[in-house]
């Protein structure tokens, strides 16, 4: 058996060693760089040896890895939450990185409501809202039980519990909202589950804070959750 190595064969084996090392590393960028290096070498050796199949397939692999590397480098660029959203990010979405927050924020859309219902008691809302500007009042049987200001969630209880709300939420004059449709949230759960988990953490934190404040109150009377929430919701800040 001939164990002699031609220069082209030696170079080809170097390419395979690079691929092997690449599969062993955890850093995705380094992995891509090693795979690209190996594929360039394999394309060269395929050309030298006249093996067009090796050239063809490694050219395909090279193009894919180059595109993925470019996308990875773009994702690694530093981002900054706009100043007008910084307080909302730090108060409600601190579980996310700034990049994740901006990606999630862009899945929503702006909505303006003026002196009208945002959600109605007994009707499951099709979206989860957060107040960007203005105030909303929570009314249970025509009694105002809470006032929600900037950064306050609306409709997240209904989304998490999958039950209709027990109180009305009405815009107090002009109300600017950012809303995420339930259908988009469900798609996020499937397509970007890790990000969706952090969204759930943000909503869950809000609900846990609400329950903890409720448990600290004395002489708690029976009633709906929204009615009881009035005893701990701040006059200008809160969530429903």
């Amino acid at each position: 058996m001939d164990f002699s190595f031609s220069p082209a064969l030696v170079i080809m084996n170097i390419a395979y060693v690079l691929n092997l090392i690449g599969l062993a590393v955890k850093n995705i960028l380094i992995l891509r760089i090693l795979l690209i290096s190996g594929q360039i070498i394999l394309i060269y050796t395929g050309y030298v040896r006249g093996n067009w199949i090796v050239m063809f397939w490694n050219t395909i692999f090279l193009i894919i890895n180059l595109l993925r590397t470019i996308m990875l480098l773009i994702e690694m660029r530093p981002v900054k939450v706009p100043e007008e959203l910084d307080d909302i990010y730090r108060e409600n979405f601190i579980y996310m990185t700034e990049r994740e927050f901006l990606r999630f924020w862009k899945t929503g859309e702006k909505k303006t409501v003026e002196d009208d219902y945002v959600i109605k008691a007994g009707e499951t809302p099709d979206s989860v809202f957060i107040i960007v500007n203005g105030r909303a009042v929570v009314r249970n049987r025509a009694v105002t039980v809470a006032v929600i200001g900037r950064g306050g969630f609306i409709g997240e209880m209904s989304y998490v519990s999958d039950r209709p709300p027990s109180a009305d939420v009405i815009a107090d004059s002009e109300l600017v909202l950012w809303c995420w449709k339930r259908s988009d949230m469900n798609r996020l759960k499937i397509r970007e589950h890790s990000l969706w988990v952090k969204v759930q953490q943000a909503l869950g934190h809000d609900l846990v804070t609400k329950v903890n404040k409720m448990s600290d109150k004395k002489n708690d009377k029976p009633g709906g959750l929204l009615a009881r929430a009035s005893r701990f919701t701040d006059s200008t800040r809160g969530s429903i």
Side-chain angles (χ1 to χ4, degrees), residues 10-23 34 38:
V10 171
I11 293 174
M12 180 178 289
N13 277 276
I14 291 174
Y16 286 127
V17 170
L18 289 174
N19 287 340
L20 179 63
I21 295 173
L23 294 175
L34 289 171

Side-chain angles (χ1 to χ4, degrees), residues 21-240:
I21 295 173
L23 294 175
V25 300
K26 294 182 179 180
N27 187 291
I28 300 298
L29 181 60
I30 295 177
L31 164 63
R32 295 290 180 186
I33 292 173
L34 289 171
L35 291 177
I36 288 171
S37 301
Q39 285 149 8
I40 290 174
I41 294 173
L42 288 173
I43 292 171
Y44 170 75
T45 56
Y47 172 76
V48 170
R49 305 185 71 177
N51 191 328
W52 300 104
I53 293 178
V54 170
M55 287 185 62
F56 171 78
W57 284 109
N58 279 279
T59 298
I60 298 297
F61 300 151
L62 177 62
I63 292 171
I64 293 173
N65 273 307
L66 283 172
L67 291 175
R68 296 298 297 180
T69 301
I70 291 171
M71 292 173 61
L72 184 60
L73 290 172
I74 291 174
E75 290 177 358
M76 292 174 64
R77 292 184 305 174
V79 296
K80 180 68 176 175
V81 173
E83 186 176 347
E84 62 270 19
L85 295 177
D86 188 66
D87 61 325
I88 291 178
Y89 166 65
R90 297 190 182 281
E91 288 293 326
N92 299 282
F93 299 98
I94 200 62
Y95 296 99
M96 302 179 186
T97 64
E98 294 188 358
R99 185 181 300 279
E100 288 171 334
F101 167 69
L102 291 176
R103 191 161 75 248
F104 174 63
W105 190 264
K106 289 177 182 178
T107 63
E109 58 185 12
K110 182 180 178 181
K111 181 177 181 179
T112 302
V113 180
E114 187 170 356
D115 296 322
D116 199 359
Y117 288 90
V118 179
I119 60 175
K120 293 183 179 181
E123 296 182 9
T124 302
D126 66 350
S127 302
V128 175
F129 307 89
I130 195 167
I131 296 177
V132 176
N133 194 29
R135 301 195 312 170
V137 295
V138 182
R139 290 180 183 166
N140 190 359
R141 298 177 182 178
V143 177
T144 298
V145 296
V147 178
I148 311 172
R150 176 176 169 84
F153 280 110
I154 299 173
E156 91 282 15
M157 277 189 181
S158 179
Y159 177 76
V160 172
S161 66
D162 200 25
R163 295 180 180 179
S166 59
D168 299 318
V169 180
I170 306 170
D172 182 12
S173 68
E174 185 177 80
L175 183 65
V176 180
L177 302 165
W178 199 257
C179 60
W180 295 272
K181 293 187 178 300
R182 282 174 174 258
S183 56
D184 292 336
M185 298 274 277
N186 293 335
R187 275 195 292 270
L188 182 70
K189 179 179 179 180
I190 297 172
R191 297 177 180 177
E192 295 189 66
H193 186 74
S194 60
L195 179 57
W196 179 81
V197 168
K198 293 185 178 182
V199 174
Q200 290 293 90
Q201 286 181 304
L203 299 180
H205 175 74
D206 177 80
L207 295 177
V208 168
T209 300
K210 182 174 294 183
V211 171
N212 286 340
K213 288 185 178 181
M214 284 171 48
S215 66
D216 290 338
K217 297 297 180 180
K218 303 298 183 180
N219 302 318
D220 191 19
K221 298 179 180 179
L225 184 57
L226 288 174
R228 287 177 287 163
S230 65
R231 291 190 288 274
F232 64 80
T233 304
D234 295 333
S235 60
T236 59
R237 180 70 168 75
S239 61
I240 293 298

